[in-house]
Amino acid sequence: MNPKNVIIAVLGSVIVAALIWPDRFTDLVGGNETVEASLISFVEKQNELTVQRAGLVSIVSKPNEGMVDMLDTKTYVIVPGTVRYVVYPAQMELKDFRWDATASRLTVSLPDPRPVDVNIDAARARVLVDGIDLQSGDERQRIFQVSLKVARKDLEKQAKSTKLMQDARVAAREALQSNFAQPLLAVGIKPEVVVQFDGDPKPAAITKG
């Protein structure tokens, strides 16, 4: 089978993100360590943080030619899947944190969330031949297995789409702004937290006429 058309759709997403801040942070901020150094000493232990999960579905379609034109059929294989978006705080460096004490503003810079664990939900996959939903049998399994590689490839491609990556940045920004504000609030600082990603749109250059 050589699938000719693949359609991908987003089903939904959930934000799940939380950094763990030890109580010792309150001893460091305001002491000998800077805010930046205090933050980096703890995020280096946070290897991976999930900021969003999204559901996808790939619809692979192709004509299934029979021996006679009248017997030609149309086959659709519907393959749902999920993808997880993560950031890696442990990979951040001191230069990625900038604290403006006058404005109480913390600026954090880090790479875009990364799509990982693109999983296929084989139990919910469907194989339709001329509108008939094949529930079981060797033919269903054969069609599904042949389409699986194409479906997985396109789910992985869709996970990196502009729209989903932008959604992941929005989710990550909201989660990280809250997380990075918590330890500062705990020591009596009400910060403005600005989170910047590598993939954020760059401001337009100002040209002089």
Side-chain angles (χ1 to χ4, degrees):
M1 180 187 293
N2 294 314
K4 295 184 177 180
N5 299 305
V6 179
I7 305 170
I8 308 292
V10 180
L11 296 180
S13 62
V14 179
I15 300 172
V16 284
L19 288 170
I20 300 173
W21 300 104
D23 293 338
R24 197 166 64 89
F25 186 91
T26 59
D27 298 329
L28 297 177
V29 174
N32 294 328
E33 286 199 41
T34 64
V35 168
E36 294 93 335
S38 300
L39 289 168
I40 200 68
S41 67
F42 292 118
V43 298
E44 64 186 9
K45 300 176 182 178
Q46 312 289 331
N47 293 326
E48 183 180 284
L49 184 69
T50 298
V51 294
Q52 177 160 285
R53 300 180 191 273
L56 306 170
V57 60
S58 172
I59 304 177
V60 182
S61 68
K62 73 169 292 291
N64 186 17
E65 292 81 6
M67 297 297 293
V68 183
D69 287 346
M70 291 177 60
L71 299 180
D72 286 354
T73 61
K74 189 75 172 181
T75 299
Y76 293 92
V77 182
I78 304 172
V79 183
T82 59
V83 60
R84 188 165 60 95
Y85 293 86
V86 302
V87 293
Y88 298 94
Q91 297 179 9
M92 300 179 71
E93 301 177 5
L94 189 62
K95 65 180 178 59
D96 297 323
F97 295 93
R98 297 191 302 278
W99 173 246
D100 183 339
T102 302
S104 295
R105 181 185 301 112
L106 175 66
T107 303
V108 183
S109 302
L110 66 164
D112 284 348
R114 185 181 303 174
V116 298
D117 298 339
V118 178
N119 293 317
I120 285 178
D121 188 351
R124 292 173 50 230
R126 299 174 62 189
V127 176
L128 293 88
V129 179
D130 279 353
I132 299 175
D133 192 350
L134 302 184
Q135 298 292 328
S136 60
D138 293 342
E139 181 65 8
R140 180 194 185 281
Q141 187 64 13
R142 182 189 69 79
I143 295 172
F144 174 68
Q145 289 297 330
V146 172
S147 303
L148 198 56
K149 183 177 181 180
V150 173
R152 179 180 294 279
K153 181 178 179 180
D154 279 276
L155 287 173
E156 291 173 348
K157 179 180 178 181
Q158 180 65 13
K160 299 176 182 178
S161 69
T162 301
K163 175 64 168 61
L164 283 182
M165 289 300 296
Q166 175 61 22
D167 289 346
R169 284 193 293 270
V170 170
R173 180 174 288 108
E174 292 177 355
L176 292 174
Q177 282 175 334
S178 175
N179 275 282
F180 283 120
Q182 288 176 15
L184 294 168
L185 289 169
V187 294
I189 302 173
K190 295 182 179 179
E192 174 191 0
V193 180
V194 179
V195 178
Q196 301 175 337
F197 293 103
D198 292 346
D200 285 338
K202 301 298 185 290
I206 299 176
T207 58
K208 296 181 179 180

